[in-house]
Amino acid sequence: MPKIIINFVIMFFSLGINAEQKYIGFNDPESVAEGPDGAIYVSEIGERGVEDGKISKINKDGSISIVAEGLYDPKGIVFFQDKLYVTDRDVILEVQLDGTWNVHTGTMAFPKTPVFLNDIEVSKNGDLYVSDTGDFKDSGFVFLIKKNSGVTVMFEGNKLIKAPNGLLAISDTKILILDWAGELLEANLKNNQIVKIAEGFDGGDGIAKKNDTVFISSWKQGIVYKIENGKTLKIADGFEAAADIALSSDQKNLIIPDMKSGSVSVIEVE
Ligand SMILES: [Ca+2]
Ligand SMILES: [Ca+2]
């Protein structure tokens, strides 16, 4: 009996020390992405509608520094060729590693007026996929920003697109879409067909994928799930608002911004 207790304590101890790191002091962190420098970039919304938004980064030594300031409410972030693409309310920003930034796609470039641009993902050739969660009920869109040929609406008229949030390109022809209403969708870019592959993630926010395992976060539930072999398992909970997650470049860690507690957690994943 004592041996069992000792084993339990060691396991608990090692989980606490090795399996999770937590960084605090962020102002409404929404999205994370590992940069080419190995730092974890974080979008911070700050106060809604106020130009206090910023991009900060957690350096490899654990220190935190500001990359870019003067944004409104930055949300989704994704790297492509050493530049960070950021959704900020109704525009897309392009942020250089030195912190300078400019508007990449302005409001007028969208075929429908953007309401709540949320996540952003990039294809291998640099096309950007952007979700607009709309009124968080059923007025959302997914936009495609082609490198040199403007913005179009994807899957137009498909009733499964309600309030899209998380986006993840999983192959040259498929993307995953996580809807705020809780459905995980797989969309085929060739024939525009969409199938529902899981549901029940009310307040669905971010998506990440490692091999055949998909990780998703629920902002409302404060839970991170993994979906493996058709089964859904909870892998982390207790967040106040688990926002847009990302996998580290080495695929060993899942990075989870908790918007309401202002923290970013890094947990090991198998
Ligand atoms: Ca703000
Ligand atoms: Ca999001």
Side-chain angles (χ1 to χ4, degrees):
M1 191 64 178
K3 194 163 184 245
I4 292 169
I5 291 168
I6 289 164
N7 285 343
F8 175 77
V9 169
I10 289 167
M11 190 182 76
F12 187 77
F13 185 76
S14 64
L15 272 176
I17 297 301
N18 299 323
E20 179 172 355
Q21 291 162 290
K22 191 170 178 180
Y23 302 89
I24 59 169
F26 298 97
N27 199 352
D28 281 28
E30 205 280 337
S31 183
V32 287
E34 186 174 328
D37 53 356
I40 298 169
Y41 287 69
V42 182
S43 62
E44 297 183 62
I45 294 172
E47 196 177 332
R48 302 294 186 284
V50 176
E51 269 175 298
D52 60 350
K54 61 191 172 200
I55 304 296
S56 50
K57 64 175 179 174
I58 304 165
N59 299 296
K60 277 168 132 181
D61 64 4
S63 63
I64 295 168
S65 48
I66 293 171
V67 178
E69 294 182 282
L71 286 58
Y72 271 99
D73 305 336
K75 297 182 189 74
I77 58 176
V78 71
F79 272 99
F80 183 70
Q81 291 177 348
D82 288 4
K83 286 177 189 150
L84 192 63
Y85 294 88
V86 182
T87 64
D88 191 354
R89 304 202 300 181
D90 53 359
V91 299
I92 307 300
L93 308 177
E94 185 179 78
V95 179
Q96 317 285 336
L97 289 178
D98 67 5
T100 56
W101 57 270
N102 58 279
V103 175
H104 174 269
T105 307
T107 314
M108 300 303 285
F110 287 86
K112 308 213 184 249
T113 307
V115 174
F116 194 97
L117 297 182
N118 202 328
D119 201 7
I120 187 163
E121 171 65 328
V122 66
S123 74
K124 269 191 194 135
N125 64 1
D127 294 340
L128 296 168
Y129 308 111
V130 178
S131 63
D132 183 338
T133 313
D135 63 358
F136 285 73
K137 291 191 181 92
D138 55 12
S139 65
F141 296 106
V142 180
F143 293 109
L144 170 64
I145 305 175
K146 278 271 193 189
K147 251 198 141 183
N148 297 308
S149 57
V151 190
T152 53
V153 175
M154 304 176 80
F155 321 113
E156 192 156 19
N158 192 311
K159 294 275 191 291
L160 285 169
I161 302 287
K162 290 182 282 196
N165 190 350
L167 301 174
L168 187 76
I170 55 170
S171 74
D172 290 345
T173 57
K174 280 179 183 169
I175 61 171
L176 295 178
I177 303 168
L178 182 58
D179 199 279
W180 181 255
E183 292 164 356
L184 180 64
L185 310 171
E186 185 180 281
N188 186 311
L189 303 172
K190 283 209 163 152
N191 61 18
N192 283 327
Q193 292 207 332
I194 300 178
V195 290
K196 183 164 70 178
I197 54 174
E199 61 188 341
F201 316 109
D202 190 21
D205 203 329
I207 315 174
K209 187 170 181 285
K210 178 179 181 178
N211 303 322
D212 290 328
T213 303
V214 174
F215 300 97
I216 60 177
S217 59
S218 163
W219 191 94
K220 274 194 196 174
Q221 299 168 343
I223 296 172
V224 177
Y225 297 93
K226 75 170 177 181
I227 302 167
E228 209 170 46
N229 302 321
K231 284 187 187 142
T232 301
L233 289 169
K234 201 192 283 188
I235 61 159
D237 63 4
F239 299 100
E240 289 181 47
D244 187 6
I245 56 176
L247 204 61
S248 62
S249 301
D250 64 8
Q251 304 217 322
K252 285 184 180 165
N253 297 305
L254 193 65
I255 310 159
I256 306 158
D258 185 343
M259 193 188 288
K260 287 189 187 168
S261 79
S263 65
V264 173
S265 292
V266 180
I267 62 170
E268 280 181 20
V269 287
E270 285 174 6

